[in-house]
Amino acid sequence: MTGSIEQGTSQTHGRTHILHFLVRLPKAPHQVWPSLATAEGLAAWFTPADVLQPRLGGTVTLGDLGTGTVTAWDVDRIAEYTVEGGGRIRFHLERDGGTGSALRFTHEFKGEVETEQGWRNRFERLIDSMG
């Protein structure tokens, strides 16, 4: 199995934007989890995580996005970070078939900071890192 990025969706409610993606990855959830939930893993494909306290309520600093809080944490399943400059970023992992994972991604933010193509590029790097 190789990875794939399904068509993303984008919604706008006033100044709030919500992006959704479904990313299929060729590794089991426990193998993907470190890429979403550790400073080293996030830096490899997304952005440097200068601070990441891996627990609900922990502090997180994501590169240029800013500092915030871990707002959801379920080991090997859900990591959600809410940061002052970047909004709410949620990674939800599920088993996909016998050996793969489905990553359900949501990014909720205000303003014009992120784009679908920006996240697609990041997810391509994530897929490449799984190879």
Side-chain angles (χ1 to χ4, degrees):
M1 172 187 187
T2 60
S4 67
I5 307 165
E6 296 190 6
Q7 180 62 43
T9 63
S10 178
Q11 302 170 333
T12 302
H13 304 282
R15 291 200 48 219
T16 300
H17 304 284
I18 304 170
L19 295 177
H20 294 283
F21 280 96
L22 175 61
V23 182
R24 298 191 187 278
L25 299 161
K27 304 270 185 183
H30 73 275
Q31 294 171 298
V32 176
W33 179 251
S35 295
L36 310 174
T38 67
E40 300 80 19
L42 288 167
W45 69 275
F46 173 31
T47 191
D50 300 322
V51 175
L52 176 53
Q53 295 174 328
R55 60 178 168 77
L56 184 61
T59 300
V60 63
T61 301
L62 297 176
D64 294 336
L65 296 176
T67 297
T69 304
V70 176
T71 47
W73 192 264
D74 185 356
V75 175
D76 288 341
R77 288 194 61 227
I78 299 170
E80 180 181 278
Y81 311 115
T82 302
V83 294
E84 54 198 43
R88 182 176 63 92
I89 299 166
R90 182 179 183 91
F91 302 106
H92 183 144
L93 274 175
E94 302 171 347
R95 183 167 293 287
D96 188 27
T99 59
S101 297
L103 170 59
R104 297 184 185 284
F105 169 80
T106 303
H107 186 192
E108 182 177 334
F109 60 96
K110 295 194 184 302
E112 301 295 329
V113 178
E114 290 294 342
T115 64
E116 241 180 274
Q117 188 59 51
W119 278 107
R120 185 171 295 281
N121 293 343
R122 290 179 184 114
F123 291 134
E124 287 172 2
R125 288 194 300 269
L126 177 61
I127 290 168
D128 289 346
S129 75
M130 296 284 126

